[in-house]
Amino acid sequence: MDERLTFKDKCDLSLYLIDKLEEYWKRLFYSTMTIIGALLGGAYTKLLHLPIVAVIGFMFIAFTISNLIDHLRVYKFLQILIESVKKEKYKLNIPELSKQLDKLPYHKEVYLCIGSYSFVTIGTIVITFALIHFK
C-alpha cells in the first residue's frame, strides 16, 4: 500500500492547516481579552490580590507559551506542504492560482506570530504590575 500523500491530499491538508492557524490567532485574542477583562474587573471591584494575580498570570503565560509552540508547529507543517505543492503546481492548471501560491507570506508570518505573542505576554505582565502597583 502506498502511504504517500496525493496532490489532492496535500492541498486538503494545507487548507485544513490554514483554518487551524486562524483558530490559533482567535485563541490568542480571546485568551488575552479574557485575562485583561479579569484583571480590570478585579481591579475595579478591589478583589485584585497578589496570589490571585500570580495564579492567573502563571496560567496565562503557560497557555500562551503552549499555544505559541502549537502555532509555530502548524506554520512549519504548512510551509513544508506549500513547498511540496509548489513542486507540483503544474497540476493546478490555473496560472493565477500558481502565481498566488508563490506570493504566500507564511515565512514572514512566523515572525509576526512570535512578535504578537511576545507583545501580548509582555503587555499583559505590564498591565498586571501597573494594576497591582497603583491599587
Side-chain angles (χ1 to χ4, degrees):
M1 182 163 126
D2 188 14
E3 294 185 18
R4 289 184 287 167
L5 292 174
T6 65
F7 184 73
K8 181 187 180 313
D9 292 337
K10 290 176 188 176
C11 292
D12 289 343
L13 186 55
S14 296
L15 292 174
Y16 171 76
L17 290 176
I18 290 170
D19 286 342
K20 205 65 169 157
L21 286 174
E22 185 176 328
E23 183 180 317
Y24 282 119
W25 283 113
K26 286 179 184 176
R27 275 190 197 177
L28 175 65
F29 175 75
Y30 291 134
S31 65
T32 305
M33 292 301 110
T34 301
I35 294 299
I36 290 175
L39 292 173
L40 291 176
Y44 180 74
T45 59
K46 307 288 187 208
L47 294 175
L48 198 60
H49 300 290
L50 190 58
I52 295 171
V53 172
V55 169
I56 290 174
F58 177 75
M59 289 171 50
F60 175 72
I61 290 172
F63 176 77
T64 303
I65 290 171
S66 67
N67 199 36
L68 173 62
I69 291 168
D70 291 341
H71 204 152
L72 292 175
R73 187 178 304 128
V74 171
Y75 271 122
K76 180 181 177 181
F77 287 130
L78 182 61
Q79 289 171 353
I80 291 168
L81 275 170
I82 288 174
E83 290 303 319
S84 178
V85 168
K86 280 182 183 180
K87 290 177 184 173
E88 301 178 57
K89 65 182 176 184
Y90 62 88
K91 293 182 181 180
L92 291 174
N93 295 328
I94 304 171
E96 183 63 28
L97 189 57
S98 297
K99 208 183 305 179
Q100 292 302 319
L101 189 61
D102 290 333
K103 293 181 181 180
L104 290 175
Y106 290 114
H107 290 290
K108 296 174 188 169
E109 280 192 22
V110 170
Y111 299 113
L112 176 67
C113 178
I114 294 169
S116 297
Y117 278 85
S118 301
F119 177 75
V120 163
T121 304
I122 292 169
T124 304
I125 290 169
V126 167
I127 288 171
T128 303
F129 282 126
L131 288 173
I132 290 172
H133 181 69
F134 296 114
K135 182 178 167 184

